[in-house]
Amino acid sequence: MKILIRSTRLSGEPIPGSGETLQAADCLEVVELMRGQTPFTASRAPRDYMTEVLSGIEGGPTQPLPEDAAAAAAEFLTRLARHGLIEFLPDDKASDPWPERFLEALETVRLSGRTNMLDHLEVTRLTAEMGYPEVAEWLTGHRREYAAFVLDGTRPLGKNFGGKEDPAPCADK
């Protein structure tokens, strides 16, 4: 499954056209990825994390989540989608999820010596400036996959980041 987590204004209002894409095998794995994005939430139990996030969004005590962890994760994501904070996206079908000239573009940026390759935003800007707009566009929505490539040398895994072909469905509709 694939979702877009919207960036928000200080007021908590989602910013249209913004955000980060996450991919995982199922709803519970998406929640795990979300929870691990900051050191402030990474150590919390998944249920505590979901309850805290929902109470902040929905204001105070909220309707309890189902007892089953997978059902709770699906309900959590559905409620976030109702508030416009996430969007469910179609899974990519491509066997090679990055653009054709990805490696060429990154090597061009690296050889230029103009930035540290860990600086995602600057690498994205430079790929566009150096004539690789399709790579810059891909980098904009795939920060996690880029980080995995730079840090581990690993290639993003097929249809979803978890590498599984048929994730459990989770939709807000």
Side-chain angles (χ1 to χ4, degrees), residues 14 57-58 63 74-88 171-173:
I57 294 166
E58 297 175 347
Q63 180 178 359
E75 175 67 18
F76 171 73
L77 294 175
T78 298
R79 286 160 71 176
L80 291 180
R82 282 190 204 130
H83 290 282
L85 296 169
I86 69 165
E87 178 182 337
F88 294 98
D172 63 336
K173 298 173 185 161

Side-chain angles (χ1 to χ4, degrees), residues 26-38:
D26 56 35
C27 297
L28 194 54
E29 285 188 27
V30 168
V31 171
E32 289 294 332
L33 290 173
M34 292 170 71
R35 186 174 63 92
Q37 287 191 318
T38 74

Side-chain angles (χ1 to χ4, degrees), residues 6 11 17 25 36 56 66 71 75 83 88 99 112 114 127 130-131 133 165:
R6 296 251 182 247
S11 65
E75 175 67 18
H83 290 282
F88 294 98
S112 77
R114 293 173 58 187
T127 56
M130 294 177 168
E165 287 300 316

Side-chain angles (χ1 to χ4, degrees), residues 100-172:
E100 185 176 330
R101 299 191 320 155
F102 178 78
L103 297 174
E104 176 187 336
L106 293 187
E107 186 67 1
T108 301
V109 171
R110 186 184 73 77
L111 291 174
S112 77
R114 293 173 58 187
T115 189
N116 182 318
M117 295 304 286
L118 295 174
D119 186 344
H120 176 262
L121 291 175
E122 187 63 11
V123 169
T124 302
R125 189 188 72 72
L126 287 171
T127 56
E129 179 183 297
M130 294 177 168
Y132 301 95
E134 72 284 0
V135 175
E137 183 178 331
W138 185 87
L139 286 170
T140 300
H142 296 86
R143 189 174 85 196
R144 187 174 300 275
E145 291 91 335
Y146 174 73
F149 173 77
V150 171
L151 296 173
D152 303 329
T154 59
R155 212 175 172 99
L157 300 169
K159 184 174 177 184
N160 66 52
F161 203 109
K164 297 178 182 173
E165 287 300 316
D166 293 310
C170 177
D172 63 336

Side-chain angles (χ1 to χ4, degrees), residues 38-80:
T38 74
F40 306 107
T41 58
S43 63
R44 297 196 192 279
R47 178 170 296 281
D48 294 341
Y49 167 75
M50 292 184 287
T51 301
E52 185 176 313
V53 168
L54 288 174
S55 68
I57 294 166
E58 297 175 347
T62 62
Q63 180 178 359
L65 293 167
E67 287 299 317
D68 177 68
E75 175 67 18
F76 171 73
L77 294 175
T78 298
R79 286 160 71 176
L80 291 180

